[in-house]
Amino acid sequence: MKVLKIDHLGIAVNNIEEGRKFWGDILGLPFEGEETVEEQKVTTAFFPVGESEVELLESTSPEGAVARYIEKKGEGIQHVAFRVENIEAALAELKEKGVKLIDEKPRIGAGGAKIAFLHPKATKGVLVELCERG
Ligand code: ZN
């Protein structure tokens, strides 16, 4: 598999508007607008920074993964996303290597990217997202 770069850091926040005050207003990162991905019970906001981006994540429901993360650990970095050339091939390779996956098949995330999560148990505690953008 070919990992191209860190695509983005996913940061769990209680409120994107509040988050924008630091990432947008204070750090001065451009704000690219919000997008709600209902299936994943999350609203995202992307802030490009160099070759990568900061992704703020606000849960749309108390049952969402982001809400549960904040309940357990508080606001903060929730996942690291690596851009790969071919996500299907990457998942097949990881599966063959015995890596525990949350998503065996890619789903569609914010911005229409194909995404899949690896299980934190397989990565020493880091929730890793793979993503492929067209
Ligand atoms: Zn992400």
Side-chain angles (χ1 to χ4, degrees), residues 29-116:
L29 303 181
F31 172 57
E32 287 202 326
E34 293 179 15
E35 181 184 344
T36 296
V37 183
E38 242 352 297
E39 193 201 68
Q40 287 154 39
K41 298 187 172 60
V42 75
T43 297
T44 67
F46 280 92
F47 299 82
V49 48
E51 288 281 289
S52 300
E53 297 188 79
V54 167
E55 174 189 36
L56 298 186
L57 303 154
E58 178 186 328
S59 194
T60 59
S61 144
E63 280 84 53
V66 169
R68 283 187 278 121
Y69 180 88
I70 291 175
E71 207 176 282
K72 265 196 253 167
K73 301 195 173 170
E75 294 178 294
I77 294 184
Q78 193 246 1
H79 67 267
V80 179
F82 293 96
R83 173 119 33 126
V84 294
E85 218 166 50
N86 180 327
I87 196 167
E88 283 87 358
L91 289 171
E93 188 181 324
L94 291 169
K95 199 176 169 187
E96 195 174 303
K97 288 178 175 168
V99 174
K100 196 170 178 193
L101 306 172
I102 292 176
D103 301 305
E104 301 226 337
K105 287 194 180 121
R107 43 189 159 131
I108 301 300
K114 286 200 240 177
I115 66 167

